[in-house]
Amino acid sequence: MERLRGRIGRPEALAWGLLVLGALVLRLIDLGDRSFHHDESQIAYFSWSTITQQHTYEYNPLLHGPWQYYATALTYKLFGVSDFAARSGPALLGTLMVAMPFFVRRHIGRIAAYSAAVGLAIGPSYLYYSRFTREDIHIAAMTLAVIVIVIRMLDTPRRWHPPVLFALLAATLTVKESGLIFGFLCALFIVALLVGARVRHTGRTRAVQVALAVGWRPWVLAGLAFVLVYCAFFSSFGSHWAGIWDGIYEGPKYWIDQHDVGRGGERWYLYAGILGGYEWPVVLFGLVGAIAVLRWAVRPSTEIPGFTDRVVPHVRVLAVFLVWLFVASFTGYSIAGERFAWLILHPLLPLLLLAGIGLQVVWAGRDRVLPRVALGLLVLGLASTVYSSYRVNADDPVDPSELLVTTQSGPEIPAASQRLHDLDTKLQRSQGRRLSITIDPNDGASFPWAWYLRDLQVSYDAGVRTPGYTPSTDALVLTAGSQVAGLGGLQAYDARPILLRSGWARDWGDATPRAWWNWYFKRQAWGPLSDLDETLFIRKGL
């Protein structure tokens, strides 16, 4: 503790503490209120069914890796099963990410580290997906942790660095297949460094020096840590050993095959649109940071403000890696067949760190005209960031006209769920029986109902569209397509319309400057929204 106090002053400690605390508050407030997205409800439900022994978890490539299910199950154990608990894991990880740049502030510069942390804390994309139960925030946190450990290891190698580093790399693979992409990009960069050192005849690279400095035992432990983490999760902790092979072969094969399917239905410039619509200040200062880093790559005598002399050589190499990681991630995810808004987190992470470096460069040159103009844009950028974060995270977080929102569940679903729970409680008290419910699963409508009604007596019957079908349960939820099938007996029920989900099938050809203006200030979509309507039927007299 004394060593830490000697390295950080009270004002700096207070600034970091308030930022992390503020990030936590932003992520926890009203966390469970927004209707669960289809994918969120799947993760929440299958994590719940795992801890309640409804079924034993087995890896399924369609639902990505096992990590998120065990992590979410852990939050249930800690906080109880609830909408809040299901999202608490991403919220805590998102907060932890805000704190991580603190540990490299002496390496990349205090302004750069704090600026990146601010972007992680209040930026629209990271704040939104820190309040969203999907795996991308998990892998983003692990990716940032890897970057932090590598920077510190290149500075002052410790014996614990390799095992923790390899455990994290294995953990990324247990989250989702994006871990393979991150590992592949890291490997390409390392190979390029080694080849470059060989061509220039510069002798051992810093990476080789670090590997030799810690000795061979930490690297043996690193290999064991990688195997242990990978096998533990994919084998469902020993209950499904075939999952290890599925993770090695079946998972990557499944998602490679999905490339031609075009899941998400978006164009290749989706991520450019998200960056331009929400994160343009990060793009602006990230460009400044990237230029500063690349200038050093071409002319090593060039200084980068904020980088201390002791760590300049290898930290600058890591800064070049950030440029590579952003360009390669942005390009790769843009041309990949599957495109969803949540994947923006992967290229945005290195861009945020570059933006911090860029702001540091601008601040160092604030006596000149151009940097002063950039600092003026920073004020505008902060205002835009706060505005965009408020719109997507607080003002109307279920608005499908948000670029970050992907086919959002309707806002009436939690209230409808509560109504069914209240009726179930009433029947148990008055008649000693449970409320019987039928859910129409057609058109992919099982979720999010499976999560919201997990502890009620529910049946899922696709036969509701069969001619002559007559319902017999106390309540039923029918999609619009099933209601036109001519069901009998509905006159015995009270009907209440519900919006199951709504999405924006964006036609980017209509994204004119005026359309962008209307979207930014009014959140007016430049194309029609696509809704899936349902009706909740409750038997009269209940």
Side-chain angles (χ1 to χ4, degrees), residues 43-348:
I43 294 170
Y45 174 79
F46 289 123
S47 301
W48 168 79
S49 63
T50 297
I51 66 168
T52 56
Q53 298 181 343
Q54 299 282 332
H55 80 283
T56 300
Y57 173 82
E58 294 182 3
Y59 170 62
N60 180 350
L62 172 65
L63 301 177
H64 298 294
W67 173 280
Q68 61 193 333
Y69 300 99
Y70 288 109
T72 307
L74 176 61
T75 64
Y76 293 158
K77 290 289 188 181
L78 295 174
F79 308 122
V81 180
S82 67
D83 295 352
F84 177 91
R87 289 184 174 138
S88 62
L92 294 175
L93 281 174
T95 304
L96 183 62
M97 289 186 72
V98 175
M100 287 185 193
F102 170 85
F103 298 99
V104 292
R105 71 196 188 286
R106 294 184 301 109
H107 304 83
I108 66 174
R110 283 173 161 78
I111 293 177
Y114 197 80
S115 300
V118 169
L120 289 167
I122 67 172
S125 302
Y126 267 94
L127 180 54
Y128 182 80
Y129 287 113
S130 293
R131 298 167 53 85
F132 192 90
T133 304
R134 263 194 66 89
E135 59 278 335
D136 295 276
I137 194 67
H138 292 257
I139 200 167
M142 294 174 186
T143 300
L144 182 55
V146 166
I147 292 172
V148 168
I149 288 176
V150 169
I151 290 176
R152 294 184 64 90
M153 184 167 64
L154 289 176
D155 176 18
T156 308
R158 301 286 186 236
R159 292 181 180 274
W160 61 268
H161 284 151
V164 174
L165 178 63
F166 273 62
L168 281 170
L169 290 172
T172 65
L173 301 179
T174 69
V175 177
K176 69 180 299 187
E177 296 69 25
S178 296
L180 289 171
I181 298 175
F182 175 64
F184 178 70
L185 296 180
C186 290
L188 284 181
F189 187 78
I190 292 172
V191 169
L193 284 181
L194 294 175
V195 170
R198 184 68 177 269
V199 169
R200 296 192 304 269
H201 304 289
T202 54
R204 292 176 177 172
T205 64
R206 177 60 179 172
V208 175
Q209 294 172 357
V210 167
L212 295 175
V214 298
W216 61 270
R217 287 186 179 87
W219 295 105
V220 172
L221 291 176
L224 292 174
F226 184 95
V227 173
L228 178 62
V229 170
Y230 188 91
C231 292
F233 279 93
F234 276 103
S235 70
S236 301
F237 294 92
S239 65
H240 182 62
W241 291 103
I244 297 175
W245 172 249
D246 292 341
I248 294 172
Y249 176 75
E250 296 295 342
K253 179 181 182 298
Y254 174 85
W255 288 105
I256 289 173
D257 292 342
Q258 291 297 305
H259 174 73
D260 294 329
V261 175
R263 288 162 52 97
E266 291 284 0
R267 304 298 296 273
W268 64 267
Y269 30 78
L270 168 66
Y271 306 116
I274 292 176
L275 290 178
Y278 293 104
E279 307 284 358
W280 66 264
V282 180
V283 175
L284 175 64
F285 285 94
L287 180 61
V288 174
I291 291 173
V293 168
L294 293 177
R295 283 183 62 195
W296 168 82
V298 176
R299 299 174 57 187
S301 60
T302 305
E303 293 186 1
I304 301 181
F307 283 26
T308 59
D309 294 337
R310 183 168 63 88
V311 297
V312 159
H314 45 278
V315 174
R316 283 183 173 177
V317 171
L318 262 294
V320 174
F321 170 72
L322 293 177
V323 177
W324 158 250
L325 185 60
F326 166 70
V327 172
S329 298
F330 181 80
T331 304
Y333 284 106
S334 294
I335 65 177
E338 176 174 337
R339 303 183 189 98
F340 286 101
W342 43 71
L343 295 174
I344 192 61
L345 298 187
H346 304 290
L348 180 58

Side-chain angles (χ1 to χ4, degrees), residues 265-481:
E266 291 284 0
R267 304 298 296 273
W268 64 267
Y269 30 78
L270 168 66
Y271 306 116
I274 292 176
L275 290 178
Y278 293 104
E279 307 284 358
W280 66 264
V282 180
V283 175
L284 175 64
F285 285 94
L287 180 61
V288 174
I291 291 173
V293 168
L294 293 177
R295 283 183 62 195
W296 168 82
V298 176
R299 299 174 57 187
S301 60
T302 305
E303 293 186 1
I304 301 181
F307 283 26
T308 59
D309 294 337
R310 183 168 63 88
V311 297
V312 159
H314 45 278
V315 174
R316 283 183 173 177
V317 171
L318 262 294
V320 174
F321 170 72
L322 293 177
V323 177
W324 158 250
L325 185 60
F326 166 70
V327 172
S329 298
F330 181 80
T331 304
Y333 284 106
S334 294
I335 65 177
E338 176 174 337
R339 303 183 189 98
F340 286 101
W342 43 71
L343 295 174
I344 192 61
L345 298 187
H346 304 290
L348 180 58
L349 178 59
L351 188 62
L352 278 165
L353 294 170
L354 288 170
I357 295 172
L359 179 56
Q360 193 164 255
V361 170
V362 169
W363 180 254
R366 60 189 179 278
D367 294 335
R368 299 190 298 272
V369 174
L370 195 57
R372 287 183 178 179
V373 173
L375 289 175
L377 288 175
L378 173 64
V379 176
L380 180 62
L382 281 174
S384 176
T385 296
V386 172
Y387 165 77
S388 295
S389 277
Y390 172 77
R391 290 299 297 259
V392 72
N393 288 291
D395 183 45
D396 191 0
V398 297
D399 184 1
S401 64
E402 292 285 354
L403 293 175
L404 288 175
V405 173
T406 302
T407 315
Q408 177 59 44
S409 300
E412 305 97 339
I413 290 179
S417 167
Q418 187 60 52
R419 170 65 173 153
L420 293 173
H421 278 83
D422 291 343
L423 283 174
D424 181 70
T425 301
K426 176 183 175 182
L427 285 178
Q428 289 187 66
R429 290 175 177 174
S430 63
Q431 302 181 26
R433 69 179 184 88
R434 302 296 303 272
L435 181 76
S436 59
I437 307 168
T438 297
I439 299 293
D440 174 7
N442 293 290
D443 302 318
S446 296
F447 288 93
W449 291 114
W451 163 247
Y452 280 107
L453 306 180
R454 60 191 176 276
D455 49 1
L456 297 185
Q457 185 176 308
V458 182
S459 61
Y460 296 85
D461 189 357
V464 295
R465 290 188 178 179
T466 304
Y469 179 92
T470 300
S472 59
T473 51
D474 298 316
L476 65 155
V477 180
L478 299 179
T479 62

